[in-house]
Each structure stands twice: as structure tokens, then as C-alpha cells.
Amino acid sequence: MSRRSAAVLAIAAAFGLGTLVPSAAPAAAAERFWELQLNLCNSGVPGVNCYAQGRSIIEGGDLIARLRPNMVTLNEICANDLPDYLVPSLVKAWPGDRVYAQFAPALRRDTGTPVKCANGQDYGNAVIVRVAAANYQGVKTYSGRYAGQDGGNEQRTYVCVYAIGDHLGCATHLSASSEPVALAQCRSLLFDVIPQIRAAEGVTGKTIVGGDFNLEYDTSDPENAQNCVPPGHIRKGDNDVQHVVFSNDIAFVSTSKYGMSHTDHDGFLVRLTKP
């Protein structure tokens, strides 16, 4: 026993306070971890009614800067949207920390080459992650095309970033024309791809997946979004087709939706904490 602890007990005895037990050190506080899912509809392809001449990128970036998420999953963006505005928005939100982004294009069935936005840039999905500077140990990235696809020319893909020692985050955009195919793609990512990445990297948990699944939560539907959630994981949705699935070693706090003027999807924020 330290001299200070002995003195505390002696004072307690002298004043008839009974036995005082020195308090244990306080438990470390859980770390705030917020995930923001955005479908920004920025392809510019003719006939896509939600396209707004790039204004959704400014709107999405401003939301990122305001909400300060730890991770952002993005659908329907052009490759240069990341360095032009979206990544700087997260850097602005977390000055001094490490911010990393990875983009993966959708692929054409006929050529196997990237699908293009109207401006000629690659079109697809991305993950942006923030890691506290003191915790940064580097990142590793993974991306791929699903084996199962619908009959359209746009073949769906996923992209994942492993922030070493911190978390594994993935983004995807699933088939829009076939719910059975979308469910199969979702299960491929959650039940096959992610366990393979975890095994390769020695990751045991702290995994977050966000995206436009083109599936709704509906217990009467065989293609219920909940049917692609593995054991040990939790799903939260926006009451439409956007979902975030996370491993249950991350604690759920709350969700919020943010109406967007220049895309046809809400911004969907999932507030989490991780040990």
C-alpha cells in the first residue's frame, strides 16, 4: 500500500468513517466512431434524373465537414470527386489526423473496363477513413467485382480499406434491377469477402460496411436486407435501401437522416462507439 493510501485509511478511522477502499483507475472511455453513407448520383449519364450537375458533391462534402464522421462510404461518384472536394472536406473536419480514401469503379460487362461518368472519369464507389494521428499504422486496400451479376452492362463492385490496428471499412452499391442478385452480392461481401480479408490481415472485429444495397428491410420479403447480415453483426438502415452493417464489438448509439437537395438519397449517419 502506498503512503498516500495508508494516510487516507488512517484519517477515515480517526473520524469514524469506516473502511475506505482506494478507487480503481477509471475505465478508458469508448471512442466515438461515426459512419456516414452517401449516394451522390453524380454520373451525369443521360436519363439519370437525380443528377444535379455536380452540386451533390458540394452538398455531400459540406455535410462531411459539418458532421465530422470517422468514415464515409460513397456511391455513384466520379473518381476526381474525391480529391476535388470530398477528401478535403474530411481533412477539414479532422485537422492533424490521417485521412485516406480508396475508389473502385464499377466495371463494364462487355469490355471489363471501368464504367465512365459523362465527364470521362471512372464511376463507382469509395471509402474515406479518418484515423487519429497517434493510432495510424498505415492502410491496406481491397476491391473486386461480384461473381453474380444481373443482365445489365454495369457490373457491381466493392471497395474496402483496412486501417491497420483500427478498423476495416467497406463500401458497395448492389444490383438495382434484381433483388435476388443484390442479396447474393450482399451475402458474398459479408459472408465471404470480408472473412477472407479478416483472415489475411488477422482482423478479429471492428468492421463496418456501408452502401446502397438496393434492398429494403422487410421481413415478409425473401430478399430482406437482414438476410445478408452474418452472425455477430448488426444492421441499421435508413428505412429505404441504404444500410450500414457492423460487427458487434462496436456499440450502436443512434442514427440520423439528412435530406439532400441534389441527390435522390438521404445522407445516412450511424453513430457508433468502439473500444
Side-chain angles (χ1 to χ4, degrees):
M1 181 183 298
S2 69
R3 291 182 179 178
R4 182 180 182 278
S5 296
V8 169
L9 295 179
I11 292 169
F15 285 89
L17 299 179
T19 301
L20 297 182
V21 179
S23 59
E31 178 188 354
R32 162 203 191 278
F33 192 98
W34 291 7
E35 143 68 355
L36 178 64
Q37 159 60 26
L38 296 171
N39 182 326
L40 294 179
C41 190
N42 198 44
S43 72
V45 174
V48 178
N49 295 330
C50 56
Y51 175 64
Q53 292 74 46
R55 291 192 293 271
S56 67
I57 302 304
I58 304 302
E59 185 177 27
D62 290 348
L63 188 64
I64 290 169
R66 176 161 61 92
L67 297 179
R68 302 177 66 243
N70 300 69
M71 171 177 156
V72 185
T73 47
L74 295 151
N75 309 129
E76 297 192 33
I77 65 168
C78 307
N80 285 2
D81 295 337
L82 289 170
D84 285 352
Y85 202 71
L86 298 172
V87 171
S89 296
L90 195 62
V91 171
K92 178 181 178 182
W94 295 101
D97 284 343
R98 301 297 296 266
V99 173
Y100 188 89
Q102 183 68 19
F103 175 87
L107 299 173
R108 293 173 58 103
R109 176 187 295 275
D110 54 359
T111 64
T113 58
V115 173
K116 298 293 183 178
C117 292
N119 61 13
Q121 297 170 20
D122 291 354
Y123 162 85
N125 308 303
V127 180
I128 314 176
V129 299
R130 166 261 174 182
V131 181
N135 299 335
Y136 184 76
Q137 302 176 53
V139 297
K140 295 185 179 181
T141 63
Y142 294 83
S143 63
R145 168 173 38 185
Y146 296 108
Q149 300 283 343
D150 57 38
N153 197 36
E154 179 188 333
Q155 298 205 312
R156 304 299 174 127
T157 61
Y158 61 86
V159 57
C160 299
V161 173
Y162 173 47
I164 297 172
D166 195 83
H167 71 278
L168 171 64
C170 301
T172 194
H173 188 194
L174 306 178
S175 171
S177 63
S178 170
E179 285 194 347
V181 170
L183 180 60
Q185 291 170 344
C186 189
R187 290 182 62 86
S188 174
L189 177 60
L190 270 297
F191 282 82
D192 299 326
V193 172
I194 287 175
Q196 291 169 11
I197 296 173
R198 282 176 166 176
E201 300 294 346
V203 181
T204 57
K206 297 181 183 176
T207 300
I208 309 98
V209 179
D212 180 344
F213 289 7
N214 279 310
L215 298 168
E216 297 176 340
Y217 174 72
D218 182 353
T219 56
S220 66
D221 187 344
E223 285 78 42
N224 179 8
Q226 190 66 30
N227 292 340
C228 74
V229 180
H233 290 71
I234 299 164
R235 179 204 56 83
K236 296 296 175 180
D238 70 345
N239 297 318
D240 194 11
V241 295
Q242 296 184 111
H243 303 272
V244 172
V245 178
F246 50 94
S247 53
N248 63 8
D249 57 340
I250 305 173
F252 172 69
V253 178
S254 64
T255 65
S256 293
K257 294 193 295 184
Y258 297 86
M260 306 283 283
S261 299
H262 302 299
T263 178
D264 59 346
H265 293 72
D266 291 331
F268 179 49
L269 179 70
V270 181
R271 298 178 185 88
L272 307 166
T273 61
K274 65 184 182 68

